[in-house]
Amino acid sequence: VVSPNMAMPDTYSRPDWPGTPLLVLGARISPRNAERFRSLGINYLDVNGNAYFRFGTVYIDVRGRVGDPVAELYRERPAALNLFSPKRAQVIFALISWPKLVTAKLHDIAQCAKVSIPFVQKTIADLEAANYIDSVGAGRVGRRLSNVDALIDGWTAAFSTGLGSESKTRSFQGDFNLTYLDDEGPVVYVSGEAVADWIQRHTTWTLYCDVVPGEAAAAGRWTARSLDPTIFVRTPFWSEPAGHPGLFTGRIRNAPPLLVYADLMASGDPRQHEAARHYREDNDQLRAR
């Protein structure tokens, strides 16, 4: 900090900025940018402590500071900028869908989210840093989800370009009916408008299953690569934890509520968006807790 009574540099030139003086904040402001800001009369501050302020009789000019511990912590957390990447979204999905997992062992969360244990540990740390998980006691037993509404909003917004993207979807045109499925076979989760009670006559089916149900595809005469698909099939990105069955038992089950809501919102159909609003309002899992 330089004394406010010291003489200003003779080379200083300040444009007439409208309104209040400009202030730039950044993780790191390079020497080149700093020089440019000074020449334009723009105040700045970065987390290393490099700063330039000139207003009234105050003049501050700090340069050359690097390696500040605060800056190192800031740079160690680039993942927080992409909190809803597909793999992190799988962990978040598991925690929202089965809230008791928040205090479970990392192994149990990893098994449900279908990711590695170290990845779960890193994602939980990211969620804590972003204030989506509070630690109210010692160890994992003191963890709890926080800001759930915002977490659901972020997860849903990222869904259509991540876990629900076209690259992860197999599309078909044809007919589908739950009676087309045999009693025995891999579990099929039903999502989207087929689960929304507010849509009396749905025109599309969104299914999550490890393999395309051949008997249903044959009975409904499914055709791939259609310009007007009506059936969307994706691979489940979760595994139901023990003791948490779906809304249906047996082979056919409703997808977890967060996924149903996200599929409705990702449809681009105003009718499904309205159904999504009702679905969220009426579902305890999709409200703040």
Side-chain angles (χ1 to χ4, degrees):
V1 178
V2 183
S3 169
N5 296 319
M6 72 169 290
M8 296 299 112
D10 293 336
T11 58
Y12 180 81
S13 174
R14 180 184 181 89
D16 293 328
W17 293 105
T20 58
L22 295 179
L23 172 62
V24 174
L25 302 176
R28 178 179 179 274
I29 296 176
S30 68
R32 180 178 179 181
N33 286 336
E35 179 62 31
R36 181 62 174 163
F37 289 149
R38 287 192 297 271
S39 69
L40 293 173
I42 299 175
N43 300 321
Y44 66 80
L45 173 67
D46 71 12
V47 294
N48 284 326
N50 299 295
Y52 177 82
F53 291 91
R54 186 178 188 272
F55 54 90
T57 59
V58 176
Y59 179 66
I60 300 173
D61 191 353
V62 181
R63 312 183 194 186
R65 295 194 62 182
V66 296
D68 188 274
V70 175
E72 293 302 318
L73 286 174
Y74 188 96
R75 286 194 289 270
E76 284 175 3
R77 301 201 47 76
L81 299 177
N82 192 20
L83 190 62
F84 299 100
S85 64
K87 287 184 68 177
R88 287 186 182 85
Q90 289 176 218
V91 177
I92 294 170
F93 175 80
L95 296 178
I96 293 176
S97 299
W98 297 279
K100 291 184 179 180
L101 283 178
V102 177
T103 58
K105 296 179 180 178
L106 295 178
H107 173 270
D108 296 335
I109 302 173
Q111 189 173 46
C112 180
K114 294 187 176 181
V115 298
S116 68
I117 292 176
F119 193 85
V120 169
Q121 189 172 31
K122 179 66 168 59
T123 301
I124 287 178
D126 290 338
L127 290 169
E128 289 176 338
N131 297 319
Y132 287 123
I133 287 182
D134 290 335
S135 295
V136 294
R140 59 184 172 85
V141 296
R143 291 197 300 253
R144 67 180 182 187
L145 284 180
S146 179
N147 300 317
V148 178
D149 280 343
L151 192 61
I152 290 173
D153 289 341
W155 194 93
T156 302
F159 176 74
S160 62
T161 57
L163 295 174
S165 65
E166 291 186 5
S167 64
K168 297 181 180 295
T169 306
R170 298 185 64 179
S171 301
F172 304 89
Q173 200 282 327
D175 296 325
F176 180 73
N177 191 300
L178 294 177
T179 61
Y180 293 166
L181 293 171
D182 297 335
D183 293 335
E184 301 296 330
V187 172
V188 175
Y189 294 94
V190 183
S191 185
E193 66 170 321
V195 181
D197 294 336
W198 302 270
I199 299 178
Q200 295 182 353
R201 183 178 181 276
H202 56 264
T203 58
T204 64
W205 288 85
T206 303
L207 309 175
Y208 289 81
C209 44
D210 289 317
V211 294
V212 173
E215 72 277 28
R221 300 183 179 181
W222 293 8
T223 303
R225 299 180 182 177
S226 169
L227 295 178
D228 188 24
T230 56
I231 301 162
F232 306 94
V233 180
R234 301 189 187 103
T235 301
F237 49 83
W238 74 95
S239 177
E240 289 188 26
H244 296 81
L247 297 182
F248 292 130
T249 57
R251 184 181 185 188
I252 304 168
R253 308 180 186 183
N254 278 5
L258 176 57
L259 184 53
V260 175
Y261 174 71
D263 273 320
L264 288 168
M265 291 298 294
S267 68
D269 179 358
R271 184 183 54 131
Q272 293 194 41
H273 288 181
E274 179 66 14
R277 183 179 67 81
H278 289 292
Y279 187 80
R280 182 167 180 174
E281 289 175 351
D282 293 349
N283 197 295
D284 290 340
Q285 253 191 30
L286 302 179
R287 292 198 297 267
R289 49 183 179 267

